[in-house]
Structures are given as structure tokens and as C-alpha cells.
Amino acid sequence: MKGKLYLFGIGGTGSRVLRSLVMLAASGVKIEADAIVPIVIDPDFANADLTRTLELIKTCSAIRKELSFNDKTSNTFFAMPFEQMVNDNRLSLQDTKNKKFREFIEYSTLSRENMALASMLFSENNLEADMEVGFKGNPNIGSVVLNQFTTSQDFVDFASAFKPGDRIFIISSIFGGTGASGFPLLLKNLRGLSADMPNYASIQEAPIGAITVLPYFDVKPKDEGAIDSSTFIGKTKAALQYYEKNVNGDKSSVNVLYYVADNRANQYDNNEGGTEQQNNAHMVELISALSIVDFVSIPDDDPILSCTEDENFRVYAPNAKFREFGIEDDVKEVLFSNLSQTTRDILCVPMTQFVLFSKYIKEHLRGAISQPWAVDNGITDAFLKSSFANNIKKFTEAYLTWLEEMADNDRGFKPYKLAVKGSDLYSIVDGVKPDSIKALWAFNKSGYDLFDAALNDKQSSLSKNYSLSQKFTELFCIVSKLLVDKKFKF
Amino acid sequence: MGYFFGTIYSWFKSLWCYNLDLYLWGYDTLAQDYVGMNIYSVVGLITAVITLAIVLFYYYIYNHPRWCKWWSWLITLFLNGGITLAVAFGITYSKFFYGYIPQELVYQFDEDGNVVAQLISSLDCWGFGIGAAIVSALFFVVFTFVFKWWSSNAKHVPFL
């Protein structure tokens, strides 16, 4: 696609899928968009999943700012720009801080009849719910509180920035509160955008993709907890019925709707939100991020992306598609070999490149600054202490942590043996036997020695005009690609 | 070439005796002239070839990012010296042992033809071997600075 992708991540799942997308994009997975503009919608400002993702985007953007990309550069690491359009990439929601739902709807000022109606629609617990930690699995609250998108200045800014050719993607879960209610509301507001909004026609008819994440984890039972995972399936069924009538029925509002779920469900700690809500990364989030990769790869002239108006001037997608994801084998720990060849083609090379890069940074870089590739290019101790190098270290550590979390989860995504050291480095891809490299520069070398030998051999191809940061990432990308291509047959 | 190598080895000729030096230059006692084989050029050529091969091996085949350091370069230099010492000693000692060196150069005879002194001994062969090792070290340094620049991993060895 030619244009930007405006990516709305709703609720905790939105942030976690966005985290996976940042990891994929940074590692060089091909995402065919000019830029990604993440916009997170979550009233839970302190949600650790959210803050961790936003911090990651900041780090990634800080790294990318130091790099340039053009026809002459080979680097694919950090190539995808993440643009910040709204403050801190969050769509601000009014009146949710330090407020109970009862206060938000101004319950005490309602007429007696309306008060009775509100009491029918919302339980006492609903009315007493604190807005600051999200909607805790209550879409009925979310559908009221979130129905304020279009009044937000951030939303007006989004509308002003939107151009024909740009696309929109919405990430949400269906079994909670924020995502389940926010997705149809946002979609309704986008397709039926008021004519007094800037670029309203472009937005109304924009290609919109969405992923609806069905239950893929449980939470531990808690006596006084507002979140009860035994209700997840019931809520999902109810929401799917609602979506069928209002989102993706005969006249679907979305051009492509992706569904993903897993019947293996790990039990997470029952945290209602805030700084305690930091769930380990899960393969389902990675797959959800792949749906975004798939959506942007649809050619601009594909009929799937066309929109039209019905007799009531309601915009809909006449050729909407609904897509799911499957793995080859139903296994507890998923390796690359359990994925389809199409998925392997997308993931294996860039992810393995970035894993090797991350491990080198973590385990070997400090001792390698006497190598010719470092000395000749001015990579010194001072460079290693620079903000660029610190951001690289921070990001690559986060990348390894993300992989470890996915490996530890159930179902686990465990394509790498991350603990391998030294000469075993290239046995890192589980289930893939590394080939030997038949080249003079690779003679009698293994592990990081082979990595250094390749860096030393390829450094002569770098342009002298590159900045230090550019040389560093360019060289590591070229060499990790060379090693992955020579060592692994995916 | 014989003159070139002979001159270089002669810098260290104090390590072996004058008569061995004469023989190595190719001095023929019958012809009373330097018409024999110039052993300096033979040993010099072998030393140069061995040293070149070791330098090329070190910089382009071994060429190891972890082990190519100043100390491994020094070890290789000594190893090369040891090999050329053995070659130079082997060549001269075999000539000495099997009697290829003219008796007039090896021994001093009285008027009756009796040996009164031995002028060349195995110690002189060792001395020449050590001299050859030193010369090989010089070659090693020269070849190092000719060839190291294009080595990917060892271009900064022994120093930048």
C-alpha cells in the first residue's frame, strides 16, 4: 500500500498486539506501509501493558531517528517509522480519571425514570466501577464511556492528518470490556463520520481492517475480582451476535475482519488494571500482529478494499473478507516448523536475524570493540555509551524478553533456544540444523567468532559517508542476513 | 639473488665460523674460487618461501577474529623461526655429516696431512640455524607489513 496505516489499539489486548507489531517491524518483517501511526485507546492510563508498549515505540522511534533509509541502504532493522500523531500515542478520553461510572453518567442528577433505566442497564458494581482502570470486562460501561471519540481533539487531529490512500486498522479483544465495546463504536464513528470533520469522505470510505481477538487466556479466580474468566465465552458469543448484526453482517463495515483464538488458555494473575496488569507476551498477539502485515499487503486496487454506499447513505464494504489463522500442528510449544510455509516466509529470516543481533549486543558487543569492524568504523567505548547504543541495548533486551515470554506461555511460541552460548550459537533455531558455511572467511570459526569474521569481512562494503549509527545497524543487518541465509534452511 | 641472501646472512656470521661462511658462499677449495653452489641463496629462498607461506596462512587462512592478536603473531614468528632454524641446521649439518664440505675447510692439516684442528663443527651448524631464524624473523616482519592490510580479521596485528 502507498500511504500510512492508522492503527487503533483498544484496551490491554490492543497494547499487547501493538507490542508484537513493533517487535516484528523492528526486526525487518516486511510491512508494506509508508508509516504506522499507533493510536491507543485505553482509559487505564497506568496499565503496564500499555506503558511498556508506548516506551518500546519511543525507543524504536529514537533509534530510527538516527538512521536513514533509501535505495542505497540495505538495513531493514527499524525501517518502519512509527509516527506520533496524538500525544504519547494515546487518544485522550475525557472524564475518566478519578471518576466512578456513577459520577461519569451523573447518576445523581438523572430523573427518576432515567435513574431506574440506568439501574436496569448497570449493576451496582458497574455504577461503582472506577473509570481509571478501564472497564474491567464490562462492555456495557465501555459503550457509554467510549462514545466520545469524535468530540476528542485527538480524533479531530487524526481526521485532519488522514489522506486518501491511508488505511485504518483496529485491534481489539472481544471477551473483555474496553476492546469489545470500543471496536464497534469506533467503526460506527469512522464509517458514519460527521460532515463537519476534516477529510470525512476519505475516512468514511477508507479501507478498514480489524482483528477481533477471541479468548486466549484465563485469569485466576478471585473472590472480589471484577474480572471472571468463566464469563469470557458467554461475552464472546454475545458480542459476536452483536457484531453479526452491526459490524460484519450483509453490509460489513470492515473490509477485512480477522479472527484469532486459542483453546489452550494459560491462567494469568487476576489484576484489574493499572501497573499490575502486565501479561506475558503470547503467540496469539504475534499472530494478531501478522494480520496487520497481511492487511497492508493487500494491493490498493484489490476489490476487497472498495467501499460503497447503500440506499441510506451508509458506507459498507461490498467485498468484505473474513480471515482466520491456523498452525500446521496442534502442539504445546510451537516451532517454526509447525507454521505454514507462508508464515515462515514472513517471520523466519527477519526474526532470526534480529535474535542473532540481540544476542550479540547482549553477550558479545562489549568485548568486540577491538575487532577491525569496530576500530575501522570508530565504534569505541564512547559510542557504546551513547544514547543510540543504549537505546539499541534497551530494545534488543526487550526483544529477547518478548521471545522468552512467548516461549514460557501456554501455548508457547518457542522457535529459539535462547540459552545457547558460544560455538552452539547457530543451533539457536529449534528444529533447524545449521549448515556449515563454505567460504574462506568462515574457515575454522564458529559462534561469535564467525559473526565477527563476517562483520570484518563485510565492513568494506559500507559507505564512508554513513554516520556511526548508520554504519552500525547497516553492518549488523547485512551480516545477520548473510549468516541466516547461509546457516538456515527454513 | 645469492649475493642478496649472502649479504643478509653475513650480518650474523659471527654465529658461525669463517670456513663455514666460505662454504656457504660456494667457495671451491680446488678451484680456489666461489664456483660451488651458494648455500645462502638456497637456505634464503627456502626461508623466504616458508615465511611467506606462514604469513599468508596466518593472515588469510587462519585469520581468526579471536586469536589474531599481537601475542599470537609473536608465537607464529617464533614458530616460523623454529622451522627455518631446523631447515638451515638440517641442510648445513647434513653437508657436514656426509662430508660434502671440503676437508680443507673442515679441518686444519699439518705438513704430513694429519688433522691438527677441526675448524667446522656441529656448533657452527647450530649457529647458522640461529642466524637463519633471525633472518626469517626479519622476513616475517617485512611480509607482515606487506600483506596484513588486506586481512579481514588480522589487519591490525601486531598493531594498527
Side-chain angles (χ1 to χ4, degrees):
Chain A
M1 68 174 268
K2 285 177 184 166
K4 293 178 183 176
L5 178 72
Y6 288 86
L7 183 60
F8 290 90
I10 309 175
T13 305
S15 293
R16 289 191 294 275
V17 172
L18 186 52
R19 182 184 177 210
S20 287
L21 183 72
V22 174
M23 295 300 188
L24 292 184
S27 65
V29 166
K30 195 172 181 193
I31 300 174
E32 292 176 31
D34 291 345
I36 293 174
V37 187
I39 303 169
V40 177
I41 301 172
D42 196 338
D44 185 0
F45 265 53
N47 182 329
D49 283 329
L50 167 66
T51 51
R52 181 167 62 170
T53 300
L54 295 182
E55 188 61 33
L56 196 69
I57 294 173
K58 270 187 199 167
T59 309
C60 185
S61 299
I63 292 168
R64 199 188 181 282
K65 208 169 71 179
E66 305 269 328
L67 305 173
S68 57
F69 297 86
N70 54 51
D71 294 343
K72 289 176 185 167
T73 56
S74 312
N75 177 30
T76 54
F77 292 165
F78 307 103
M80 175 53 60
F82 284 87
E83 291 183 2
Q84 184 174 317
M85 196 205 65
V86 296
N87 186 32
D88 215 12
N89 290 113
R90 300 184 207 202
L91 191 96
S92 56
L93 296 169
Q94 291 164 354
D95 286 339
T96 56
K97 278 195 172 180
N98 296 319
K99 232 176 195 179
K100 290 180 178 175
F101 183 59
R102 182 190 297 278
E103 293 158 357
F104 181 85
I105 59 171
E106 297 175 351
Y107 184 82
S108 59
T109 64
L110 295 177
S111 65
R112 199 174 160 192
E113 292 79 11
N114 283 339
M115 214 178 260
L117 181 64
S119 298
M120 280 171 63
L121 293 172
F122 305 104
S123 68
E124 192 58 28
N125 283 344
N126 286 166
L127 293 169
E128 284 301 306
D130 182 359
M131 299 291 89
E132 203 171 338
V133 289
F135 310 129
K136 294 184 284 190
N138 295 297
N140 53 340
I141 303 179
S143 59
V144 173
V145 179
L146 292 177
N147 201 17
Q148 52 162 296
F149 292 125
T150 49
T151 59
S152 155
Q153 182 56 44
D154 289 341
F155 195 84
V156 176
D157 292 343
F158 150 72
S160 303
F162 197 89
K163 290 188 172 59
D166 293 343
R167 295 184 194 178
I168 296 166
F169 197 92
I170 304 166
I171 311 162
S172 63
S173 69
I174 203 167
F175 56 103
T178 314
S181 56
F183 167 51
L185 269 177
L186 177 60
L187 198 58
K188 185 188 81 179
N189 281 309
L190 291 168
R191 287 296 188 216
L193 198 62
S194 160
D196 55 8
M197 277 286 202
N199 302 313
Y200 75 96
S202 300
I203 295 172
Q204 279 183 344
E205 296 186 357
I208 299 180
I211 182 152
T212 295
V213 183
L214 284 79
Y216 67 101
F217 65 82
D218 286 341
V219 290
K220 290 176 184 164
K222 196 174 174 184
D223 287 344
E224 293 170 3
I227 303 169
D228 178 3
S229 53
S230 67
T231 65
F232 283 178
I233 297 295
K235 282 179 180 169
T236 301
K237 283 181 179 173
L240 283 173
Q241 279 177 350
Y242 175 82
Y243 286 8
E244 191 182 359
K245 287 179 186 162
N246 298 284
V247 175
N248 56 358
D250 292 339
K251 291 178 179 175
S252 173
S253 298
V254 278
N255 297 83
V256 190
L257 183 57
Y258 297 84
Y259 290 104
V260 64
D262 195 353
N263 53 11
R264 291 191 72 91
N266 197 9
Q267 271 202 335
Y268 292 161
D269 287 336
N270 194 334
N271 299 312
E272 291 177 5
T275 53
E276 289 179 345
Q277 192 184 338
Q278 181 168 294
N279 297 347
N280 279 351
H282 194 286
M283 185 186 175
V284 163
E285 293 147 15
L286 170 73
I287 293 163
S288 303
L290 281 176
S291 69
I292 300 161
V293 176
D294 181 76
F295 178 66
V296 295
S297 72
I298 300 170
D300 288 325
D301 56 357
D302 194 310
I304 296 172
L305 301 181
S306 65
C307 285
T308 190
E309 278 183 358
D310 65 9
E311 62 281 2
N312 299 319
F313 306 107
R314 181 175 162 260
V315 179
Y316 71 100
N319 305 305
K321 292 282 175 200
F322 304 93
R323 293 180 175 173
E324 294 179 312
F325 182 92
I327 53 176
E328 296 281 309
D329 313 291
D330 186 8
V331 288
K332 191 179 174 211
E333 290 183 342
V334 178
L335 308 179
F336 280 138
S337 55
N338 302 124
L339 301 175
S340 70
Q341 188 59 48
T342 312
T343 311
R344 272 185 266 171
D345 290 344
I346 295 169
L347 292 181
C348 293
V349 172
M351 281 187 74
T352 309
Q353 274 184 257
F354 210 79
V355 166
L356 290 176
F357 173 55
S358 300
K359 276 184 77 72
Y360 188 101
I361 300 294
K362 185 181 176 187
E363 296 169 2
H364 190 68
L365 179 63
R366 185 150 291 281
I369 55 168
S370 62
Q371 289 295 325
W373 70 265
V375 174
D376 293 353
N377 292 297
I379 309 291
T380 59
D381 266 333
F383 174 79
L384 297 189
K385 287 174 189 161
S386 68
S387 62
F388 177 81
N390 281 328
N391 280 329
I392 289 277
K393 275 182 239 168
K394 194 171 160 188
F395 194 93
T396 49
E397 272 173 29
Y399 191 84
L400 294 173
T401 305
W402 173 68
L403 288 174
E404 282 164 8
E405 286 177 9
M406 281 199 292
D408 289 343
N409 224 320
D410 186 14
R411 161 185 334 251
F413 180 59
K414 202 176 181 183
Y416 299 113
K417 293 182 272 182
L418 293 170
V420 292
K421 297 260 181 203
S423 58
D424 287 335
L425 181 64
Y426 303 101
S427 59
I428 191 166
V429 186
D430 206 350
V432 179
K433 191 169 177 270
D435 290 340
S436 59
I437 299 178
K438 293 172 184 67
L440 191 59
W441 60 265
F443 172 72
N444 81 340
K445 295 164 196 90
S446 61
Y448 289 122
D449 293 331
L450 183 65
F451 211 128
D452 277 328
L455 289 166
N456 290 333
D457 191 62
K458 295 295 166 198
Q459 62 145 330
S460 58
S461 63
L462 293 178
S463 166
K464 304 284 177 216
N465 301 325
Y466 287 162
S467 67
L468 269 188
S469 312
Q470 185 76 29
K471 283 180 185 173
F472 184 82
T473 37
E474 190 87 10
L475 185 59
F476 271 94
C477 189
I478 291 170
V479 164
S480 59
K481 178 87 168 63
L482 173 80
L483 292 172
V484 170
D485 286 347
K486 299 262 182 197
K487 281 279 180 191
F488 307 109
K489 298 268 185 297
F490 290 115
Chain B
M1 191 164 61
Y3 180 77
F4 170 73
F5 284 118
T7 306
I8 293 171
Y9 281 107
S10 294
W11 296 340
F12 308 99
K13 67 182 181 188
S14 57
L15 293 170
W16 58 95
C17 69
Y18 175 70
N19 281 23
L20 181 61
D21 180 48
L22 286 177
Y23 173 72
L24 293 173
W25 273 109
Y27 184 75
D28 189 319
T29 50
L30 289 175
Q32 302 275 302
D33 200 0
Y34 296 91
V35 293
M37 181 192 285
N38 187 328
I39 308 293
Y40 281 133
S41 68
V42 173
V43 173
L45 206 59
I46 292 171
T47 299
V49 169
I50 290 172
T51 305
L52 181 63
I54 288 176
V55 165
L56 292 177
F57 177 82
Y58 181 83
Y59 280 100
Y60 295 100
I61 296 173
Y62 181 64
N63 190 25
H64 201 286
R66 189 164 19 140
W67 303 123
C68 282
K69 308 282 181 202
W70 67 267
W71 49 265
S72 69
W73 179 86
L74 205 60
I75 289 171
T76 312
L77 183 145
F78 281 118
L79 182 74
N80 178 58
I83 292 169
T84 49
L85 185 151
V87 169
F89 172 79
I91 289 172
T92 48
Y93 188 75
S94 63
K95 301 278 185 196
F96 169 71
F97 187 80
Y98 291 109
Y100 290 107
I101 303 176
Q103 296 296 296
E104 293 80 358
L105 291 177
V106 179
Y107 302 108
Q108 184 180 1
F109 298 97
D110 64 12
E111 290 172 352
D112 299 327
N114 299 317
V115 174
V116 292
Q118 185 172 348
L119 303 175
I120 298 175
S121 70
S122 62
L123 276 179
D124 295 304
C125 299
W126 281 116
F128 177 63
I130 291 167
I134 295 169
V135 171
S136 78
L138 295 176
F139 288 171
F140 194 90
V141 172
V142 171
F143 288 143
T144 287
F145 283 92
V146 171
F147 292 105
K148 75 169 197 154
W149 312 106
W150 299 279
S151 167
S152 56
N153 299 313
K155 65 198 294 189
H156 299 152
V157 178
F159 44 77
L160 284 175

